[in-house]
Amino acid sequence: MSTKSNLQVARAAYQPKLPNALKGPVKAVEGAATQSVGDQAEIKALFPNTYGMPVVEFVKGEAACNDRFNVGIILSGGQAPGGHNVISGLFDGVKSINPENKLYGFLMGPGGLVDHKYIEITPELMDEYRNTGGFDIIGSGRTKLEKEEQFEKGIEILRELDVKALVIIGGDDSNTNACVLAEYYAAKNYGVQVIGCPKTIDGDLKNEQIETSFGFDTACKTYSELIGNIQRDCNSARKYWHFIKLMGRSASHIALECALETQPNICLVSEEVEQKEMSLDDVVNYIAEIVAKRAADGNNFGTCLIPEGLIEFIPAIKKLIKELNEVLTDPATGESRAFASAEEQISFVKSNILPENLAILESLPEDVARQLCLDRDPHGNVQVSLIETEKLLSRMVATRLAAWKKEGKFVGKFSAQHHFFGYEGRCAAPSNYDADYCYSLGYNASRLIANGKTGYMSVISNTTAPAAEWIAGGVPITMMMNMERRNGAMKPVIRKALVELDGAPFKYFAAHREEWARTTSYIYPGPIQYWGPSEVCDLSTKTLQLEHQK
Ligand code: FBP
């Protein structure tokens, strides 16, 4: 019996599309010197060897080299569909330069580099993983690569393996660290290049140069299929309100994209909640009013999408989290303080925060307050995926509606179901878009390496056009940086892209949401398709389409 499904076997044979510019030998065309998006003087001083480098575009031309070299690769942070295709693109790219070239994968994230845990990615191993979801070929991890001793441990193994370049596949934090590593190796003249690759389902690693992070497309399509299925069920039984929390960390890109794809009755957008300075109470009122209006029309059912980071954007809670982050950091080391137990940590927090923040903390349901006080991820982020906002909101809406019922303001029934979609989509088999985009990102990284670049992010743009017309090149990571306060200190970081309220995707949503709230105008997108008409199989996200229409 085969260990693979027929779909897996057929999908393994898919040859991802490459931009024409990357087919055959390429030459690098360099633009003018660049600047960081903010705090130019500080970023320049911190990155003297990698600041100001030009944007690079590849066009057909003479190959830069056909040298023998080895490359290392690291998968960093949360899984995102298409990671294996970045690796296969890189693998095929380095082999096309010289078949003797080798690719090493460091195991379980950046920690594999520091601990010298790696495997060689052989042709047989690579073929097992082409066009599959997941990061399991080498595993991923959240170890933060930021200390000199880690960089020094890294160079030991990179030298031992004769590695010319390291490719780090990660989100904004991991690419920030990739840039710090590139600068360190350049300053020390270690001769190892570092290239970043934009990954995250959250969609928040994007800017003027990066159209989208990989994995966002497949993850949103997977969640939208599930939301569509729920909406069919909901519209069939007409008895439940479904509260659906969607991953995405701070940014609401995933929730917004899913709303554009499925037209739910409600979708909250954290960035708008912050801009309108809404309290938790205001958010509850907003939902309860829509539930009441639908009930008045005889519709005691609906769907409500909730971005995972919502709680962090309610201004009073944001202020509280800011203070919590400072209090939980040891100013002497810049590291998180260590506590013997969760209880000790909570009591330390309570006795060290401002009275107004303590009042907010104590007004929150106990489970939410507890989660806010406890552990951060290694980059200092609140672990929002652990906060059950969907249950919190539906509980509060139920209480509000019960009060309104007594006043005669609510005449219907309210019964809720809860869902959290996150892990369901992070390892989905990549859509054609992500399969092609990721393969191109990896292949393109091999060209950046061959051209001697370091401190660059692999970038593929114009991706709403057919793949043949995509533009390939590299952008200096320093160009995306500014200074931000993290864990109590100012740090150089890649600016996180939140939903822009004057951007085309949000404006489209805002123009239609009242209609979607009242009338039931659900869309049922169905599963991702790999074969069939191009308008079904090769579509990018609605977010990207709307952004490109402007
Ligand atoms: P990255 O930013 O590392 O890509 O991770 C994204 C994400 O899926 C978030 O949406 C989510 O909040 C977080 O990872 C969950 O982290 P973990 O996998 O550690 O539970």
Side-chain angles (χ1 to χ4, degrees):
M1 263 269 269
S2 164
T3 53
K4 290 202 170 113
S5 70
N6 292 352
L7 176 61
Q8 275 178 292
V9 173
R11 192 64 183 153
Y14 176 72
Q15 178 54 49
K17 302 182 198 81
L18 268 184
N20 282 345
L22 289 180
K23 292 178 189 157
V26 299
K27 83 169 183 222
V29 177
E30 301 197 340
T34 57
Q35 287 206 325
S36 58
V37 281
D39 309 297
Q40 287 86 12
E42 287 97 322
I43 305 288
K44 190 175 179 181
L46 288 166
F47 296 89
N49 296 280
T50 51
Y51 187 85
M53 302 182 298
V55 170
V56 168
E57 186 184 331
F58 291 122
V59 296
K60 282 183 179 298
E62 281 301 298
C65 74
N66 51 12
D67 294 353
R68 250 284 297 118
F69 60 78
N70 298 336
V71 172
I73 192 155
I74 294 175
L75 291 164
S76 181
Q79 286 69 252
H84 290 155
N85 273 32
V86 178
I87 300 182
S88 65
L90 179 64
F91 180 90
D92 293 349
V94 299
K95 295 280 183 192
S96 73
I97 291 167
N98 186 323
E100 299 291 306
N101 289 347
K102 287 186 177 164
L103 180 62
Y104 293 102
F106 290 98
L107 301 177
M108 303 310 293
L113 177 74
V114 180
D115 302 334
H116 299 186
K117 300 220 165 93
Y118 66 91
I119 52 167
E120 184 187 339
I121 299 184
T122 60
E124 299 70 38
L125 179 66
M126 194 66 260
D127 287 349
E128 283 288 300
Y129 288 92
R130 288 179 190 270
N131 307 311
T132 58
F135 278 6
D136 41 330
I137 185 169
I138 49 175
S140 185
R142 291 199 184 274
T143 303
K144 224 166 131 182
L145 208 52
E146 58 166 6
K147 297 199 183 102
E148 286 196 8
E149 55 267 31
Q150 294 174 310
F151 301 166
E152 290 294 334
K153 287 299 285 178
I155 196 68
E156 284 172 19
I157 189 68
L158 294 171
R159 283 195 177 131
E160 194 181 310
L161 298 173
D162 193 20
V163 164
K164 171 183 164 73
L166 184 63
V167 177
I168 299 182
I169 302 178
D172 53 338
D173 289 326
S174 306
N175 275 288
T176 294
N177 293 343
C179 192
V180 175
L181 184 65
E183 174 64 32
Y184 183 84
Y185 285 172
K188 294 264 176 182
N189 263 319
Y190 281 172
V192 173
Q193 302 158 232
V194 183
I195 301 293
C197 204
K199 168 235 73 168
T200 178
I201 60 162
D202 299 350
D204 57 4
L205 176 48
K206 65 172 174 180
N207 47 46
E208 286 288 303
Q209 291 77 32
I210 299 173
E211 307 196 328
T212 186
S213 53
F214 79 75
F216 176 68
D217 184 271
T218 310
C220 289
K221 285 175 178 156
T222 305
Y223 304 140
S224 295
E225 178 200 350
L226 297 174
I227 295 165
N229 294 349
I230 286 174
Q231 293 192 148
R232 273 279 196 219
D233 193 285
C234 175
N235 201 15
S236 306
R238 305 191 174 198
K239 61 177 181 180
Y240 292 127
W241 265 88
H242 291 265
F243 283 67
I244 306 168
K245 182 174 78 161
L246 291 154
M247 254 192 187
R249 215 189 275 287
S250 303
S252 307
H253 298 293
I254 292 182
L256 180 57
E257 171 63 22
C258 291
L260 296 172
E261 290 193 28
T262 62
Q263 301 188 176
N265 303 106
I266 301 173
C267 173
L268 302 171
V269 174
S270 309
E271 292 81 345
E272 185 185 29
V273 167
E274 179 175 35
Q275 193 222 35
K276 290 188 168 165
E277 299 188 10
M278 290 169 85
S279 62
L280 190 52
D281 208 50
D282 295 333
V283 174
V284 170
N285 254 339
Y286 172 74
I287 301 172
E289 269 166 17
I290 292 176
V291 173
K293 278 185 193 153
R294 283 182 64 79
D297 296 340
N299 295 322
N300 290 303
F301 66 95
T303 46
C304 173
L305 307 190
I306 303 155
E308 143 179 282
L310 178 78
I311 205 93
E312 284 184 285
F313 281 77
I314 294 173
I317 301 179
K318 188 169 195 159
K319 261 195 243 149
L320 164 69
I321 292 175
K322 191 161 174 267
E323 198 187 10
L324 290 176
N325 287 346
E326 307 246 330
V327 164
L328 287 170
T329 305
D330 181 343
T333 60
E335 303 281 330
S336 298
R337 287 179 195 276
F339 296 94
S341 65
E343 300 325 316
E344 190 190 302
Q345 181 159 345
I346 293 168
S347 107
F348 176 85
V349 161
K350 287 192 172 169
S351 46
N352 281 282
I353 57 176
L354 293 170
E356 64 262 33
N357 282 336
L358 182 61
I360 295 289
L361 187 69
E362 290 186 330
S363 73
L364 293 171
E366 207 187 320
D367 48 342
V368 177
R370 200 177 160 80
Q371 193 54 49
L372 290 181
C373 292
L374 293 180
D375 298 338
R376 303 297 187 255
D377 77 4
H379 295 279
N381 305 308
V382 174
Q383 292 182 294
V384 279
S385 59
L386 301 179
I387 299 175
E388 294 185 314
T389 334
E390 68 286 16
K391 293 191 183 152
L392 166 73
L393 288 177
S394 93
R395 224 157 56 201
M396 293 177 81
V397 167
T399 312
R400 182 74 31 98
L401 291 170
W404 287 355
K405 196 161 224 170
K406 283 192 194 137
E407 296 164 19
K409 257 179 84 184
F410 173 59
V411 288
K413 291 188 198 128
F414 177 73
S415 178
Q417 297 287 348
H418 307 104
H419 315 264
F420 169 35
F421 296 149
Y423 301 99
E424 293 81 350
R426 295 201 312 187
C427 283
S431 61
N432 283 352
Y433 176 90
D434 269 328
D436 298 344
Y437 181 51
C438 292
Y439 186 81
S440 301
L441 282 170
Y443 201 92
N444 183 56
S446 75
R447 272 35 191 176
L448 287 168
I449 296 166
N451 280 273
K453 301 296 173 200
T454 190
Y456 275 76
M457 184 109 71
S458 174
V459 171
I460 301 288
S461 54
N462 196 32
T463 64
T464 45
E469 294 163 32
W470 291 359
I471 298 166
V475 173
I477 303 178
T478 51
M479 192 179 174
M480 304 166 197
M481 286 185 151
N482 67 167
M483 300 295 291
E484 286 176 24
R485 197 168 173 81
R486 295 281 169 94
N487 293 346
M490 292 305 282
K491 297 255 170 73
V493 292
I494 294 177
R495 191 180 273 175
K496 206 185 258 304
L498 300 178
V499 168
E500 285 175 13
L501 302 182
D502 58 357
F506 180 80
K507 278 189 177 161
Y508 182 91
F509 162 72
H512 292 85
R513 64 178 153 189
E514 266 179 49
E515 180 199 330
W516 299 348
R518 202 67 188 256
T519 63
T520 303
S521 31
Y522 301 148
I523 290 180
Y524 315 108
I528 292 173
Q529 302 292 312
Y530 301 107
W531 295 277
S534 186
E535 67 272 19
V536 176
C537 302
D538 298 326
L539 270 192
S540 57
T541 55
K542 297 228 182 301
T543 301
L544 207 50
Q545 290 167 40
L546 287 164
E547 281 170 350
H548 281 199
Q549 263 169 31
K550 62 180 177 196

